[in-house]
Amino acid sequence: QVVEVMASLGSTRPLNAMALKGRSNYLCRERWQSEQNSRAIDEDHAAFLVRLKDWATTTQTGDKTELSLSSADDRYFQRISASSENCASTTCRAKQGGRCFLIKARTAAQRADIVIVNHALLFSGVDAGGAFLPETSSIVIDEAHHLESAATSHFSRSTSLKIVADHVDALASMSGSTASGILSIAIGSMASSGVFVDSPDDGTRALQTLRNALTQVDVVHRVARELFQTLGEVVWSLADNSHRSSTLRILSSTRKQPVWSQAEQIADDLLTALRLLRKDAEWVSARMARELQSGSLGDQGEVTHAAIAAWLEAEERLEDDVSSALLSPDLNTVCWLQQSGRGESVSVHSTLLEAGPRIFDSLFATRETVVLTSATLRTGGSFTHFRKQTGIFEAREVVIPSPFNFRQNALIVVARDVPEPNQAAYGQTVSDVVVDLATAIKGRTLVLFTSLGHLRETATSIRVPLAETGIETYAQWSDGTPEALAEKLRSMKPMVVLGAASMWEGIDVPGPGLSALVVVRLPFDVPSDPLHSARAELFDSPFFDYSVPRATLKLRQGFGRLIRLSTDRGVVVLMDRRVISKGYGQSFLKALPDTSIALSPSDEVGETVRAWLDRQAAS
């Protein structure tokens, strides 16, 4: 279609388009060779490398999507990917020969007329100063309703005891009586290359630096344990501990508590320990840089030097994470602590309070044209909510009618007597309706949940009674990924698929394989979520101005799973009677496409849906 549009505008030159991906999607030849020669890999890892050999030596792109990787395989692939942690300097042999898959892809992107990236890579490219994205005056952003969440995710930071420990152990640690880590490898490579023969003082200093680093790593471990233990005490003394998982948003009132003052002092001690460790890494890095310039170190020395550089970058981010979340938070930052259970380690999180200004400055301010498209940009017939999310105040608005005749092709059924979601009988009623509905129409049903716990409970409740009628039940993650379950629905076998958050959008099941969509409850965000509560506070009426618009957008996205072709017919069953019992319920019904609405007793939903589908099939 883009080619056709360009041709209609008079373009005769063929368009050069390509998809560019994040660096961890590409094979690194240097890391591949290094892993093959490594003796420090387990049997499964070695088997993975053997399986990959034919592909690694013949692939033209190095793109891991050419492979079918399991989650375990993908973890192994990350060790040989071109991620920033692995990538060597610009003098890498593969790059010199023009054989680096990452550089080839980025070079092609610079020459392309159209470059396709996901939202995450778009923000990464902006962060890198546009270093790997071509200069452009125009961007088209599809599924633009995800921009706020993509920016929030990109600019989010998290820290835990494990993150700190893994980070410093990567630099220097003891394995039995032997030092291991990047520093010992670096100093060993310089010593074996004869670097210290003419500079014995540097050799002595290198060994002392390694000893200092090993001592300092122990200090970091001790202080970090003390810090996260204290943060755990903060959570358990100040948070609502009625659930196994506890979340505590860090407010100004939190920072005035005595236990928080203790945490701040320990956080400052941790930063001091990390900075001393950084000085050791900086000295070794500078010493290696001199030898690389003189050509005294080989290829492995270059790779090791790149690893130290990557560690120093990670160190800078870690210090900033600790400081910004615990000591000197920005006014536009939301910070919180998360703990799974008493005695479990605490994690520290932070992200943007308002992402709009950062989105605008990053993507819109310097470009002539930005086109944002999505089926769910408006709430209440207005773009106001989306404009606030993205920082856009001046823009042309275009609303293109749907090509589907929803009034003819779709029906909304509201179970009028279903208990409220917080009532005890609600869960069993949902299970009963799903069984009756699926039995009546022989499967062909997708059930959308807002809670994985409720999804699992329903799967357990309906699996046997449905199996007795020849209908299979599949639950997201327990029985497959969202795309795998969508593929099952497309097979048109009698089945019910239960999906959670990631199945409310992004899956495509055209045809009669999906004829009924059950929305278990209105998709409100969890009110206690720290980010949700912080952003809601920016509004005069948090519930009506923030929570309801977000939930109506999510409901529209879920509705969109049903009608994918002009020939599709289907029914949406709303199992949350708040759409008719609460004043705000009309906001949800008005947000959905113009179609007929039927109120039905819960025990008649299955028959109501079957009768309507039969009439559609006969017409």
Side-chain angles (χ1 to χ4, degrees):
Q1 291 179 337
V2 173
V3 172
E4 292 174 359
V5 170
M6 294 301 293
S8 70
L9 296 175
S11 174
T12 58
R13 182 173 62 85
L15 287 177
N16 176 17
M18 71 161 293
L20 182 64
K21 302 178 181 179
R23 57 190 306 151
S24 62
N25 287 277
Y26 299 100
L27 175 72
C28 172
R29 294 184 188 273
E30 288 293 306
R31 290 298 304 167
W32 163 251
Q33 291 297 331
S34 177
E35 288 287 289
Q36 284 187 304
N37 297 329
S38 174
R39 296 180 181 179
I41 59 176
D42 58 40
E43 194 172 311
D44 290 340
H45 190 177
F48 167 76
L49 295 176
V50 171
R51 292 198 305 274
L52 225 64
K53 187 171 184 179
D54 287 344
W55 173 80
T57 54
T58 59
T59 178
Q60 297 299 305
T61 67
D63 186 344
K64 72 174 185 180
T65 55
E66 295 177 350
L67 303 164
S68 180
L69 299 178
S70 67
S71 57
D73 288 344
D74 191 63
R75 287 194 293 271
Y76 290 138
F77 186 88
Q78 293 312 304
R79 294 185 54 166
I80 57 173
S81 74
S83 63
S84 57
E85 291 81 4
N86 296 336
C87 191
S89 66
T90 53
T91 56
C92 167
R93 284 182 304 154
K95 291 177 184 176
Q96 285 180 334
R99 299 172 63 243
C100 172
F101 293 120
L102 175 65
I103 298 303
K104 285 171 66 176
R106 290 184 172 181
T107 300
Q110 293 289 342
R111 298 170 179 167
D113 298 304
I114 299 173
V115 180
I116 302 167
V117 299
N118 62 21
H119 293 171
L121 189 58
L122 181 61
F123 281 111
S124 294
V126 170
D127 263 6
F132 58 82
L133 294 178
E135 291 186 13
T136 177
S137 60
S138 304
I139 304 178
V140 178
I141 302 176
D142 192 20
E143 303 292 354
H145 62 277
H146 281 308
L147 269 184
E148 184 188 43
S149 61
T152 298
S153 177
H154 179 74
F155 294 111
S156 293
R157 311 296 281 269
S158 62
T159 310
S160 67
L161 177 59
K162 185 177 188 306
I163 288 174
V164 175
D166 289 349
H167 170 70
V168 296
D169 285 346
L171 184 72
S173 61
M174 292 298 295
S175 179
S177 59
T178 305
S180 61
I182 303 170
L183 280 192
S184 61
I185 295 173
I187 292 170
S189 66
M190 286 191 287
S192 61
S193 298
V195 167
F196 301 133
V197 172
D198 296 325
S199 306
D201 289 344
D202 279 356
T204 301
R205 181 173 179 180
L207 289 176
Q208 187 58 48
T209 298
L210 180 58
R211 294 191 190 99
N212 291 343
L214 289 168
T215 300
Q216 201 58 36
V217 163
D218 287 340
V219 173
V220 170
H221 273 283
R222 176 179 56 77
V223 178
R225 282 195 300 271
E226 185 179 0
L227 172 62
F228 285 96
Q229 180 180 350
T230 303
L231 292 176
E233 293 171 4
V234 171
V235 173
W236 280 92
S237 61
L238 302 179
D240 174 11
N241 298 309
S242 57
H243 303 287
R244 184 178 181 276
S245 177
S246 294
T247 300
L248 177 68
R249 183 173 152 206
I250 306 172
L251 302 169
S252 57
S253 57
T254 311
R255 299 179 189 275
K256 295 176 182 177
Q257 300 297 320
V259 68
W260 185 263
S261 298
Q262 181 183 359
E264 283 185 326
Q265 181 57 58
I266 303 170
D268 190 60
D269 292 344
L270 178 61
L271 287 175
T272 299
L274 286 169
R275 288 165 185 153
L276 290 173
L277 192 60
R278 171 158 50 91
K279 288 183 179 180
D280 292 330
E282 287 172 341
W283 184 85
V284 174
S285 178
R287 190 65 182 83
M288 288 195 81
R290 284 166 46 194
E291 298 306 323
L292 286 170
Q293 287 181 344
S294 66
S296 302
L297 299 178
D299 298 326
Q300 187 57 45
E302 180 182 326
V303 172
T304 304
H305 183 255
I308 295 178
W311 186 91
L312 285 168
E313 289 182 9
E315 168 67 19
E316 184 177 352
R317 290 194 299 270
L318 177 59
E319 291 178 19
D320 183 63
D321 291 349
V322 173
S323 177
S324 61
L326 301 180
L327 299 177
S328 53
D330 186 274
L331 291 177
N332 192 37
T333 300
V334 181
C335 306
W336 68 95
L337 304 176
Q338 181 76 45
Q339 186 172 42
S340 298
R342 187 150 201 175
E344 298 293 324
S345 181
V346 175
S347 51
V348 183
H349 305 267
S350 63
T351 193
L352 298 174
L353 175 59
E354 292 188 271
R358 187 72 67 91
I359 294 172
F360 185 85
D361 292 342
S362 299
L363 302 181
F364 307 145
T366 60
R367 291 180 170 83
E368 295 177 9
T369 305
V370 180
V371 179
L372 302 108
T373 70
S374 171
T376 52
L377 291 185
R378 295 188 301 162
T379 57
S382 169
F383 290 93
T384 301
H385 181 73
F386 177 74
R387 284 174 176 270
K388 181 172 178 59
Q389 283 184 320
T390 53
I392 301 173
F393 298 102
E394 294 184 11
R396 292 177 56 194
E397 298 175 356
V398 178
V399 179
I400 301 172
S402 171
F404 303 136
N405 186 343
F406 288 107
R407 179 156 287 276
Q408 176 181 319
N409 296 357
L411 173 70
I412 297 173
V413 175
V414 180
R416 69 187 185 197
D417 59 350
V418 65
E420 294 280 344
N422 60 354
Q423 293 179 330
Y426 179 69
Q428 187 58 52
T429 303
V430 169
S431 296
D432 292 342
V433 170
V434 171
V435 170
D436 290 345
L437 170 61
T439 302
I441 66 173
K442 297 180 174 57
R444 301 187 292 162
T445 301
L446 171 63
V447 188
L448 295 178
F449 292 80
T450 58
S451 161
L452 272 175
H454 190 189
L455 183 155
R456 296 187 189 104
E457 290 171 4
T458 305
T460 301
S461 176
I462 70 175
R463 198 179 298 273
V464 172
L466 284 180
E468 291 173 350
T469 65
I471 298 172
E472 297 178 310
T473 300
Y474 296 98
Q476 183 180 334
W477 305 126
S478 300
D479 301 312
T481 64
E483 184 49 47
L485 298 188
E487 182 62 33
K488 288 183 180 295
L489 280 171
R490 288 191 285 268
S491 73
M492 295 191 292
K493 295 179 180 178
M495 71 181 65
V496 172
V497 169
L498 311 183
S502 53
M503 293 192 77
W504 283 74
E505 58 180 308
I507 63 167
D508 196 20
V509 188
L514 176 55
S515 297
L517 177 77
V518 180
V519 174
V520 171
R521 63 186 299 170
L522 297 177
F524 284 107
D525 292 317
V526 178
S528 60
D529 176 79
L531 181 57
H532 174 85
S533 61
R535 287 179 171 170
E537 290 169 4
L538 299 173
F539 294 82
D540 293 334
S541 178
F543 181 74
F544 290 103
D545 294 341
Y546 185 68
S547 298
V548 170
R550 285 178 59 83
T552 57
L553 286 177
K554 188 68 175 287
L555 181 62
R556 287 178 60 192
Q557 290 159 7
F559 183 100
R561 300 315 95 216
L562 187 65
I563 305 297
R564 310 300 294 175
L565 300 172
S566 60
T567 54
D568 282 349
R569 303 288 189 272
V571 180
V572 173
V573 178
L574 298 179
M575 290 295 296
D576 192 332
R577 67 186 307 271
R578 288 179 293 179
V579 295
I580 57 174
S581 67
K582 303 294 184 183
Y584 58 80
Q586 285 298 310
S587 298
F588 289 90
L589 295 177
K590 289 179 180 178
L592 298 176
D594 180 24
T595 188
S596 299
I597 300 175
L599 303 182
S600 171
S602 298
D603 58 3
E604 295 179 13
V605 166
E607 179 56 29
T608 301
V609 173
R610 186 199 61 76
W612 187 87
L613 289 173
D614 286 348
R615 288 195 297 272
Q616 291 293 311
S619 62

